[in-house]
Amino acid sequence: MAHWRFSGPGRCQARRVSSENGTVIVIEDDPHIADLVDLYLRREGFRVLLARDGEQGLVLVKQEEPWIVILDVGLPGRRDGFDVCREIRAQGSLPVLFLTARDDEVDRILGLELGADDYLVKPFSPRELVARVRAILRRTREAPSTPEVTVIGDLEVDQRRREVRLADEAISLTTREFDLLAFLSNNLGLALSRQQLLDGVWGPDWYGDERTVDVHVAQLRKKLGTALPLATVWGVGYRFG
């Protein structure tokens, strides 16, 4: 299978690489960072496609079948990373990892609210980037240990199909939102702390603020409304069911 690298506007060149771990699209305008990410991901067996701006990246997302998108926030042109993430989320639950020089809390929260699965700030360790990509893919591509369908009232959570239906209507969730809802449904009736939710959904090696959980809970409540049987347990966290 060919690996396509963009060497200039409208131009690309092919290279044979292993793609046993699937395709990663990297949308990054800094060629040095893009090449570094490309190098480390290809060493791990990924097929990597590079795009220098949001428009080019969205074309690749539509044409290819990537497993994950690594997305810079400060992109040139009409669409920055947030705009690209919105467009990706409008089309489905493809995992997105933000890679950015912005370390502002507001930017991090905005990225998570838009549905980003993780957020890595430059300068970064390429090995950490690979580890985070693998962690995201473990959560999103491996079969759940309990492939059950949970039905509470009008809400149905199908982990086998990774679908959520409300009154028999499909509800679009981001990858992380679905993972959080699935983890809660696997622990029906239990009061879970925010740290337990971070460990179970984001993974024990994830570094971030516990308020990340609250942001995703707020998004679930916004999308599912009163049909979501999720209670806040003050001083602890949340209980589903």
Side-chain angles (χ1 to χ4, degrees):
M1 185 174 292
H3 158 241
W4 297 95
R5 292 202 51 195
F6 287 93
S7 54
R11 298 166 52 211
C12 57
Q13 67 184 95
R15 174 186 307 175
R16 285 280 185 195
V17 299
S18 166
S19 59
E20 62 187 34
N21 289 328
T23 297
V24 180
I25 292 177
V26 180
I27 308 176
E28 167 62 64
D29 65 309
D30 187 322
H32 300 294
I33 294 177
D35 286 344
L36 183 65
V37 173
D38 177 32
L39 173 64
Y40 273 81
L41 288 174
R42 283 191 292 109
R43 282 179 178 176
E44 296 297 316
F46 291 99
R47 173 176 177 252
V48 184
L49 306 177
L50 303 180
R52 291 184 175 178
D53 58 44
E55 297 291 341
Q56 194 177 64
L58 287 172
V59 169
L60 285 177
V61 169
K62 292 177 181 178
Q63 290 179 344
E64 305 291 332
E65 295 184 357
W67 284 12
I68 187 172
V69 173
I70 297 176
L71 176 60
D72 182 26
V73 171
L75 293 171
R78 296 190 301 111
R79 297 176 184 258
D80 65 8
F82 294 138
D83 293 329
V84 174
C85 187
R86 287 189 188 95
E87 181 69 21
I88 291 173
R89 280 291 159 263
Q91 303 301 319
S93 58
L94 175 64
V96 174
L97 168 64
F98 270 131
L99 184 64
T100 176
R102 302 183 184 183
D103 193 22
D104 185 77
E105 181 183 33
V106 173
D107 284 333
R108 292 199 303 272
I109 292 175
L110 177 57
L112 294 172
E113 288 181 337
L114 289 175
D117 294 87
D118 208 344
Y119 203 108
L120 193 58
V121 177
K122 304 173 187 176
F124 61 92
S125 162
R127 290 184 177 86
E128 181 184 359
L129 173 67
V130 172
R132 292 194 181 210
V133 167
R134 288 199 174 280
I136 293 171
L137 294 179
R138 279 197 301 271
R139 293 190 298 269
T140 58
R141 298 199 67 85
E142 291 182 358
S145 57
T146 55
E148 299 292 335
V149 178
T150 303
V151 179
I152 301 180
D154 291 333
L155 180 65
E156 177 180 317
V157 182
D158 188 338
Q159 296 188 50
R160 293 169 298 186
R161 298 169 62 91
R162 291 187 66 83
E163 288 183 353
V164 174
R165 305 187 72 83
L166 182 57
D168 208 32
E169 180 180 348
I171 303 298
S172 177
L173 299 182
T174 68
T175 300
R176 190 79 78 179
E177 289 166 359
F178 181 87
D179 291 341
L180 176 58
L181 185 57
F183 186 79
L184 287 165
S185 67
N186 286 338
N187 293 274
L188 198 64
L190 299 180
L192 301 173
S193 69
R194 289 172 177 81
Q195 189 58 55
Q196 286 176 309
L197 292 170
L198 283 174
D199 290 344
V201 179
W202 281 259
D205 56 346
W206 187 83
Y207 297 96
D209 197 296
E210 288 187 353
R211 285 175 293 179
T212 298
V213 173
D214 298 329
V215 170
H216 285 79
V217 165
Q219 291 297 103
L220 286 175
R221 285 173 167 165
K222 179 179 179 181
K223 292 182 178 182
L224 300 175
T226 57
L228 179 68
L230 184 61
T232 300
V233 182
W234 298 109
V236 180
Y238 298 96
R239 183 180 62 249
F240 185 77

